[in-house]
Amino acid sequence: MIFPVIVVALLIYIFLNRNKIFFEMDKRTIENLDKVNPEFRNAVILFLEEIEEKNLPSLTLTDGLRTPAQQQTLYNQGRTTAGKIVTNAKPWESLHQYGMAGDFYQTEDLKKGKLTAPTKAHAEIGKKYGLFWGGNFAKFKDLPHFELTKGLGSRGFIAKYKPLVLSGKLPRDENGQFNFK
């Protein structure tokens, strides 16, 4: 009968220490994580958990999966529509369309209407989980951006998977996400 006592004690411990055991994600991050590829989602959750553990400013995932039309709209910005250029990636040239990228801003500043990108300290943590930081892009520094390239780099990932996606040959999981395994 000691087993039920241990289970009850464990449940009480978890309840009393829930803020130390579980970290909280804001609603926007949760909604965006729900739409991205599961591999990227898992890496991001571990990334955000460690950021919390290290007491770095928390991050909000503001933009994850994008449709090709959304990517085209962003690509047009500063070229054929008003605004400044925010991306050099056309549709299917960004890992956002594959559900393998996201843009993040510091949560507390975002609540005040300020867009503060992740820092190099955030990027170092992301690297541990396979996330490549857009601040390390050679030409166009994209400080809010993190992507999971599966060790292929952005161009290598796109070269490998874009033909499969566009031909309909890349399998999808039960939620419609591409299966990159």
Side-chain angles (χ1 to χ4, degrees):
M1 287 311 229
I2 192 151
F3 181 73
V5 172
I6 292 172
V7 170
V8 170
L10 181 60
L11 291 172
I12 291 170
Y13 175 82
I14 290 171
F15 177 77
L16 294 174
N17 294 285
R18 65 189 177 279
N19 292 331
K20 296 174 189 169
I21 297 171
F22 305 108
F23 77 102
E24 292 183 30
M25 280 189 268
D26 60 281
K27 182 179 177 189
R28 190 170 182 182
T29 296
I30 293 167
E31 288 171 355
N32 282 315
L33 280 176
D34 192 45
K35 299 172 189 166
V36 298
N37 187 280
E39 289 181 78
F40 181 69
R41 178 185 313 123
N42 293 339
V44 167
I45 290 170
L46 294 171
F47 168 56
L48 295 176
E49 283 177 347
E50 187 164 338
I51 286 169
E52 181 89 8
E53 289 170 12
K54 302 273 194 227
N55 291 316
L56 289 174
S58 62
L59 299 177
T60 294
L61 175 59
T62 60
D63 194 17
L65 181 66
R66 287 187 198 138
T67 66
Q70 290 169 323
Q71 187 66 34
Q72 185 66 54
T73 298
L74 288 175
Y75 181 78
N76 291 346
Q77 189 176 317
R79 292 178 176 86
T80 60
T81 61
K84 70 175 195 157
I85 292 176
V86 294
T87 184
N88 284 332
K90 294 177 181 177
W92 298 111
E93 293 177 1
S94 166
L95 270 72
H96 282 279
Q97 279 84 77
Y98 303 87
M100 296 291 273
D103 295 333
F104 297 81
Y105 289 98
Q106 293 185 27
T107 304
E108 291 308 311
D109 285 350
L110 197 58
K111 289 176 184 175
K112 300 172 192 169
K114 184 177 175 188
L115 298 177
T116 305
T119 64
K120 287 182 181 180
H122 289 104
E124 286 301 313
I125 293 171
K127 189 187 309 182
K128 291 169 58 175
Y129 301 103
L131 298 172
F132 184 83
W133 182 43
N136 291 327
F137 285 158
K139 293 182 181 178
F140 187 85
K141 304 293 184 196
D142 190 358
L143 300 178
H145 184 88
F146 283 87
E147 60 187 27
L148 185 64
T149 67
K150 299 178 70 66
L152 300 171
S154 299
R155 289 185 182 162
F157 185 95
I158 290 165
K160 180 174 181 176
Y161 292 112
K162 181 179 177 181
L164 296 171
V165 167
L166 295 181
S167 69
K169 293 181 180 173
L170 189 67
R172 293 179 182 251
D173 68 15
E174 63 277 358
N175 297 313
Q177 293 291 339
F178 295 117
N179 186 345
F180 297 110
K181 295 182 177 163

